[in-house]
Amino acid sequence: MVNSKNSTINLYNHTASEWVRRQPLSLSDFTARPIVLEMCEPLNQLQVLDLGCGEGYCTRELSRRGAAQVYGIDVSQKMIEAARLQELENPVGIKYEVGCATNLQQFGDEEFDLVVAVFLFNYLTIAQTQECMTEIARILRPDGRFIFSIPHPCFPYMREPGYPFYFQVEGTGYFSKRDQLFPGQIWKRDGSWLNVQLIHKTLEDYFNCLRMASFNTMPIIKELRVTSEHIALDESFFSPLLDLPLHLAIQVSK
Ligand SMILES: C[S@@+](CC[C@H](N)C(=O)[O-])C[C@H]1O[C@@H](n2cnc3c(N)ncnc32)[C@H](O)[C@@H]1O
């Protein structure tokens, strides 16, 4: 079993400053986050929790789009410091705390209308994903929504490692490499990149965890990809990934 939490804290404490941004920079700022944020609408007057909020890129956007109160939780102290600094520079009332997504005891039952987790679960094992989703179900109001994005579980097995996005899974192993941790990189349009990680889980793993956490309604699923708009914007950046399933965005309700 990987010591995923220490590895994650170490990675993000060392790279927090590289994540800070006020406009879309990395590949998934174009191919994933805009769609996830759109799925979160309407946000008016909602109590929202952004789990694995990082330096607050999506958290700030959830607030800007009208949420009544947004909380951001991240396991990395440096990511939370970077988020708080931006809140200090431009206060919008977001509350950021260091915390682990598998234990949300600081929040009461049925406190939130919406829980969002943008690329959090690729840092959690199957057991941790189960714990986290059970906690999310506890803190969501009846009819509350849970929206999350993950790397498409098939993506790493469909492409050799390379620019502008990969996870280095080495060969096949969609089923046999469950719960193993793989390094990856995702590029920004300026030519720099971010180091990321993947604890591989199959689609079945994700949906078993949701069901065990008692999310029993039909999910909304979007398989996120490079579109013609991306190609028109920057063909050399996006075209190596054309026609590949990059990420999944999933919405379930309690
Ligand atoms: C890929 S980054 C995404 C950050 C942010 N959601 C965004 O979209 O910019 C993943 C984040 O999840 C956080 N994370 C990983 N494991 C966590 C855990 N167990 N509890 C809370 N945060 C965690 C990392 O520290 C990191 O900031």
Side-chain angles (χ1 to χ4, degrees), residues 11 58 63 92 110 137 189 194 200 227:
L11 172 65
C58 297
S63 168
V92 290
E110 303 186 358
R189 280 184 64 209
L194 297 161
H200 174 60
T227 63

Side-chain angles (χ1 to χ4, degrees), residues 86-153:
Q86 293 182 79
E87 173 66 22
L88 211 62
E89 285 166 9
N90 186 12
V92 290
I94 301 171
K95 295 181 181 163
Y96 293 105
E97 293 295 338
V98 176
C100 184
T102 57
N103 181 348
L104 302 173
Q105 65 184 7
Q106 65 273 43
F107 301 116
D109 296 356
E110 303 186 358
E111 252 190 62
F112 290 96
D113 302 294
L114 172 66
V115 175
V116 183
V118 180
F119 299 116
L120 163 71
F121 291 107
N122 41 309
Y123 295 88
L124 304 189
T125 62
I126 298 166
Q128 289 165 342
T129 298
Q130 178 65 78
E131 285 174 60
C132 178
M133 289 183 177
T134 302
E135 276 291 75
I136 291 169
R138 180 183 67 76
I139 64 173
L140 267 181
R141 296 206 171 110
D143 293 328
R145 293 178 298 149
F146 170 33
I147 297 176
F148 62 101
S149 62
I150 50 176
H152 197 299

Side-chain angles (χ1 to χ4, degrees), residues 5 8-9 12 19 21 29 33 50-58 73-76 79 99-102 117-120 122-124 196:
K5 192 168 162 187
T8 302
I9 293 172
Y12 282 100
W19 283 83
R21 64 228 193 263
D29 289 344
R33 290 181 182 86
D50 184 10
L51 266 184
C53 63
E55 54 74 48
Y57 180 79
C58 297
I73 298 288
D74 201 282
V75 78
S76 157
M79 281 296 220
C100 184
T102 57
V118 180
F119 299 116
L120 163 71
N122 41 309
Y123 295 88
L124 304 189
V196 287

